[in-house]
């Protein structure tokens, strides 16, 4: 049985962070277009990253996750690429990820909205996981990086050291992350996400981020890594 993982996040960061993590785990890119990071494979496991910019109108944030057309298009993207994993013996596992923004966010309501959009799409999935990232994916960056990360401005900054050695809080956000990195050397979400992934310590991230631990447990449990 081939396992297809369809991952949809809020924006660019997830789409560039996860492929680099997969490459570290010996997954190979199957994308035909140079520079495109859309499809990865190792043995009988395939990962698809349809958004952005492959399908539909470019839309970031939770708005895309709450539209049924998102899942219709994403499912169609897999169907038009079945020649890659040939045969009818496969299952599709959908993972939709969203930022909670704050620890007090109404996660249940957001999950309900996303689940409603998935159901309305009328597309069948072997499993559906709606996974909140607390607070933003930058909280995972803090959790998985060491002070030796080459793009930190001041590795001995007491505030940075606290952020790298404490469990996720509202302070583990994009604003505070970008405050501590050299934005002249890393330009945009793509550079940042890929550089972080190359230096990411998963064992450390499991210790400091409960949402990363939940994600890791999910993909390992479904044999998607």
């Amino acid at each position: 049985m081939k396992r297809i993982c369809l991952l949809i996040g809020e924006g660019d960061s997830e789409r560039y962070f996860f492929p680099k993590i997969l490459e570290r785990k010996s997954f190979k890119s199957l994308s035909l277009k140079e520079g495109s990071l859309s499809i990865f494979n190792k043995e009988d496991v395939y990962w698809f990253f349809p958004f952005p910019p492959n399908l539909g109108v470019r839309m970031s944030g939770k708005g895309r996750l709450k539209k049924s057309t998102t899942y219709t298009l994403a499912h169609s993207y897999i169907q038009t690429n079945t020649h890659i994993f040939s045969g009818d013996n496969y299952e599709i596992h959908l993972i939709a990820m969203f930022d909670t923004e704050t620890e007090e966010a109404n996660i249940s309501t957001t999950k309900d909205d996303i689940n409603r959009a998935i159901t309305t799409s009328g597309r069948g999935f072997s499993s559906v996981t709606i996974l909140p990232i607390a607070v933003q994916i930058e909280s995972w960056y803090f959790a998985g990086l060491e002070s030796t990360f080459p793009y930190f401005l001041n590795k001995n900054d007491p505030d940075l050291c606290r952020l790298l050695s404490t469990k996720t809080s509202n302070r583990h956000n994009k604003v505070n992350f970008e405050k501590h990195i050299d934005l002249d050397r890393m330009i945009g979400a793509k550079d940042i996400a890929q550089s972080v992934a190359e230096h990411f310590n998963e064992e450390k991230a499991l210790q400091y981020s409960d949402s990363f631990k939940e994600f890791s447990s999910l993909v390992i449990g479904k044999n998607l890594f």
Side-chain angles (χ1 to χ4, degrees):
M1 174 73 72
K2 295 181 175 66
R3 294 177 299 284
I4 315 299
C5 180
L6 179 60
L7 189 145
I8 303 175
E10 286 195 27
D12 290 351
S13 299
E14 296 91 340
R15 191 173 179 276
Y16 291 111
F17 175 75
F18 288 108
K20 278 294 181 183
I21 295 295
L22 291 175
E23 287 177 353
R24 288 176 48 180
K25 297 179 180 295
S26 301
F27 280 78
K28 303 298 182 185
S29 173
L30 301 181
S31 303
L32 298 178
K33 183 179 178 182
E34 185 177 354
S36 173
L37 298 172
S38 299
I39 307 171
F40 286 79
N41 162 245
K42 183 174 71 174
E43 298 174 353
D44 286 337
V45 179
Y46 297 79
W47 282 68
F48 280 72
F49 300 88
F51 299 102
N54 299 70
L55 301 173
V57 177
R58 185 176 179 87
M59 180 189 299
S60 294
K62 294 179 183 63
R64 180 174 60 229
L65 296 174
K66 296 178 181 180
K67 290 185 176 295
S68 60
T69 52
T70 294
Y71 307 100
T72 302
L73 287 168
H75 194 276
S76 297
Y77 183 52
I78 291 179
Q79 298 305 311
T80 58
N81 284 283
T82 53
H83 61 281
I84 290 175
F85 48 87
S86 65
D88 298 324
N89 192 23
Y90 63 89
E91 54 189 22
I92 302 175
H93 300 277
L94 171 65
I95 302 176
M97 311 181 75
F98 67 94
D99 298 340
T100 65
E101 307 296 344
T102 68
E103 291 178 307
E104 296 79 24
N106 194 333
I107 295 173
S108 178
T109 297
T110 301
K111 281 187 172 182
D112 288 345
D113 290 343
I114 295 172
N115 190 58
R116 188 178 302 111
I118 295 170
T119 302
T120 304
S121 75
R123 297 300 186 268
F125 300 100
S126 298
S127 72
V128 172
T129 302
I130 303 172
L131 184 68
I133 299 178
V135 171
Q136 297 165 310
I137 197 168
E138 283 76 14
S139 71
W140 289 14
Y141 294 175
F142 277 122
L145 289 178
E146 310 280 1
S147 62
T148 52
F149 182 57
Y151 298 97
F152 282 140
L153 291 169
N154 179 1
K155 306 178 191 306
N156 298 314
D157 185 316
D159 184 55
L160 173 63
C161 293
R162 279 192 294 272
L163 288 167
L164 293 174
S165 59
T166 54
K167 296 203 70 167
T168 298
S169 71
N170 289 342
R171 297 197 66 244
H172 291 79
N173 56 39
K174 180 177 181 179
V175 171
N176 282 330
F177 186 76
E178 292 190 348
K179 185 188 303 181
H180 289 289
I181 61 174
D182 190 343
L183 294 176
D184 290 329
R185 296 172 61 201
M186 290 190 296
I187 302 172
K190 178 179 179 180
D191 277 0
I192 294 171
Q194 291 183 333
S195 298
V196 169
E198 288 171 356
H199 295 84
F200 195 74
N201 181 337
E202 291 186 39
E203 291 302 316
K204 179 175 180 290
L206 290 171
Q207 179 182 356
Y208 290 111
S209 171
D210 288 341
S211 62
F212 178 77
K213 187 175 182 179
E214 182 179 357
F215 169 78
S216 181
S217 175
L218 163 72
V219 294
I220 291 173
K222 294 186 182 300
N223 296 314
L224 295 175
F225 266 1

